Amino acid sequence: MKMLRFRSPSIRSLDQEILCTIRLLDDSEISCSIQRDTKGQFLLDHVCNHYNLLEKDYFGIRYVDPEKQRHWLEPNKPVVRQMKSQQPYTMCFRVKFYPHEPMKIKEELTRYLLYLQLKRDIYHGRLLCPFAEAAYLGACIIQAELGDYDPEEHPSDYIRDFKLFPKQSLKLERKIMEIHKNELRGQCAALAELNMLQRAHSLETYGVDPHPCKDFTGSTAFLGFTATGFVVFQGNKRIHLLKWADVSKLKFEGKTFYVIGIQKEKKLVLTFHTSTPAACKHLWKCGVENQAFYKCAKSSQIKTVSSSNIFFKGSRFRYSGRVAKEVIEASSKILREPPEVRRYGQVTDHLHSFTIIQSFKTALQSVLLMIFQSPVWSESNGFSQFLSHPGAKKGDKNKRHSPARLLRELHADPDIQAQLEAERERDRAYERTRQAARSRMSGVLTSSLRLLSSNERVNACVLSMARFIAVVMGVLLVTVPMLLLLLESDIDVSFLHEIRQTPEFEQFHYEYYCPLRRWILCKISMAMENIWSD
């Protein structure tokens, strides 16, 4: 009981603050402190309040566990119970549900955040696009970041400073510059971002977060979920598109993921294999959330789903939040003044950083030149004034002793040398004492940590054993009365009669149960005879 009490949380641990760092879409960071019972919705609201964002249902917070598996932070569960990494926690604010029609987004701020997400998707190779589309999207980014092309400010190779695509060829850069010069002139940042969203949402990989897996033939495939439905890619080619209306069930068992639906009036079962069970469960959760968000007309229609049809097995999950239709309807009712959009363009900062550094260096050089040329820094008023001999006469004010002569005089004085040696000895003694104290403290800490770690292992073993015993006792309490009801009672109920007529039950009854019953009755009779004989 003491061991169990050792692992139970105290009131002091519940009040302990935990630091969380959240990376935003522009790679800046914000931090906040949470309690052990703080739910995920608090962190999402904290980021949205930082942005002054109202259309927040498209966004979520993502984190990565120590096994490099990604997860979406569930808003209705405590953060501490979901995180498996060490404190402080680090998470990322990302777009979770890509709007089917970006033009229906009400506020410029929401469109700007979606633009930042799509820019990341392009850079990391998630948003695949042909050459012409890539050039137009890149030109929109340049126009949004730099504005109109100016031959005096932009050299002939200014696109090289922009890292837009994972594979950025010289031909693509020239096409981007051509579109930027000729087609996008006069567009403000908001209009350029809107044009990019409008062009990007028509691509096949728009909104696809690819999940790598193997199909039934062993070929590598990438699964994804969009506003239209479930998609499968092999390389750059889409080989499956199953609309949400045709998807009847998503389930997983271990590392196997199943998509059950109807295509051309025939039942379709797609089977895929992931690398780990955790990756398969994450894939299943993403599919359940996307199907609920895009397919349901109201959040009240969302139901809790199970990962399997087997009783007492599998995971249960329910998407909590508004659906796409409700989000669009709520956006149309926003009446506030549009908030200010603060654009922190990484590309713009990169281009102007050299100019800023050069101006800073020029200013620093001018300040240092003024200091060294001032009369205060002259030799007569400088550091040599402090090296005059203390015993000089008044008439010898202008005579100065050099530093080398002063050092020789100090070195020749025996009293000063004795004082210095005594000081060194005291320092060495103090250092020895401190090293001894530090070694003793480290030994105590090491032994304490070993004791605590052993206690934690023992506690974990005891708890796991207690859970196992509780599960076994619960199963026995349920199964034993049911077996006795089937084997010994004469109750003639339809479902009991059907179970008794099955071949498996009859085999169990005559080959296992009857011999066991006879053996138990024989042992009981022998024990009773011994008791009566005594």
Side-chain angles (χ1 to χ4, degrees), residues 142 146 149-151 153-163 168-170 173-174 176-177 180-181 347 350-351:
I142 299 298
L146 291 183
Y149 171 75
D150 189 347
E153 293 184 3
H154 305 143
S156 59
D157 57 348
Y158 68 101
I159 298 295
R160 292 185 181 179
D161 294 324
F162 292 79
K163 190 62 177 175
Q168 191 165 307
S169 63
L170 183 60
E173 291 178 355
R174 289 174 178 172
I176 291 174
M177 286 191 291
H180 179 224
K181 293 178 183 178
V347 181
H350 178 73
L351 286 176

Side-chain angles (χ1 to χ4, degrees), residues 414-425:
D415 295 334
I416 293 178
Q417 290 299 320
Q419 292 177 3
L420 291 174
E421 186 62 30
E423 190 69 26
R424 293 193 196 98
E425 185 62 31

Side-chain angles (χ1 to χ4, degrees), residues 78 153 164 189 195 273 282 292 332 363 402 445 469 533:
E153 293 184 3
L164 303 176
N195 289 334
H273 304 282
H282 173 63
S332 62
S402 65
L445 289 175
I469 294 173
S533 63

